[in-house]
Amino acid sequence: MTAPVGAPQRSMILDQSIKVLYHSILVLALYFEFAGHNLPGGGFVGGLIAGAAVSLRYASGGAEAVRTTFRAPSHVILGFGLFLSSATALVPVLLGGAVLEHASYEMNLPIFGTVKVVSALPFDAGVFLVVVGLVLMAFAAFGDDRVANETDDEAAQ
């Protein structure tokens, strides 16, 4: 399989490295997402790390690889994250509390032992989705110059 004339050459080393690194970086992003309310990290840091993974996909496969990374469009991911963060902030007000007041619940799970669930987690998840949605929108805005150049070349002939 040869690349079309004028297409940039793809690096086999980069492509194979990203196959390993992409998923590893996403696991790290999820770690920061879930550890963020007790340790440094959280939704913003996790979202930035996930954005770095998407950046690697862009470096390897271009805009098309970024478009096919997630099933939902970037504006839907961003909108759902904004809704989730806003709802998490306003639900305590509806229950008679203050904005962003959070609660915690501890449960004993058979394999994991005692697990503490904090209501800040959905807020962080919303921030995570907002950041990832913004990164995806930025890469979608870059577009794919190859299609535009091919159309211009055909029109010139």
Side-chain angles (χ1 to χ4, degrees):
M1 184 172 176
T2 61
V5 176
Q9 294 290 327
R10 294 184 58 156
S11 169
M12 185 179 84
I13 295 172
L14 179 67
D15 289 345
Q16 297 304 315
S17 298
I18 289 175
K19 285 182 181 180
V20 174
L21 288 176
Y22 178 74
H23 294 83
S24 301
I25 293 172
L26 286 181
V27 168
L28 179 66
L30 288 176
Y31 169 76
F32 277 118
E33 160 68 26
F34 287 112
H37 59 275
N38 289 331
L39 300 169
F44 186 73
V45 173
L48 288 177
I49 293 171
V54 172
S55 299
L56 285 175
R57 295 275 307 221
Y58 182 79
S60 173
E64 188 59 34
V66 173
R67 284 188 202 102
T68 59
T69 299
F70 297 95
R71 293 179 190 250
S74 57
H75 63 278
V76 172
I77 294 171
L78 186 139
F80 183 72
L82 188 59
F83 172 76
L84 186 60
S85 294
S86 300
T88 304
L90 295 177
V91 164
V93 173
L94 297 175
L95 298 174
V99 176
L100 285 174
E101 183 178 327
H102 51 266
S104 63
Y105 178 73
E106 287 188 15
M107 56 186 147
N108 196 0
L109 297 176
I111 296 174
F112 298 106
T114 303
V115 175
K116 181 179 176 184
V117 179
V118 181
S119 63
L121 183 62
F123 180 79
D124 279 342
V127 172
F128 181 92
L129 292 174
V130 167
V131 172
V132 169
L134 283 172
V135 168
L136 290 173
M137 289 178 89
F139 283 118
F142 286 148
D144 199 0
D145 293 336
R146 194 173 19 180
V147 175
N149 288 340
E150 289 174 3
T151 306
D152 293 342
D153 291 343
E154 289 173 2
Q157 292 177 358

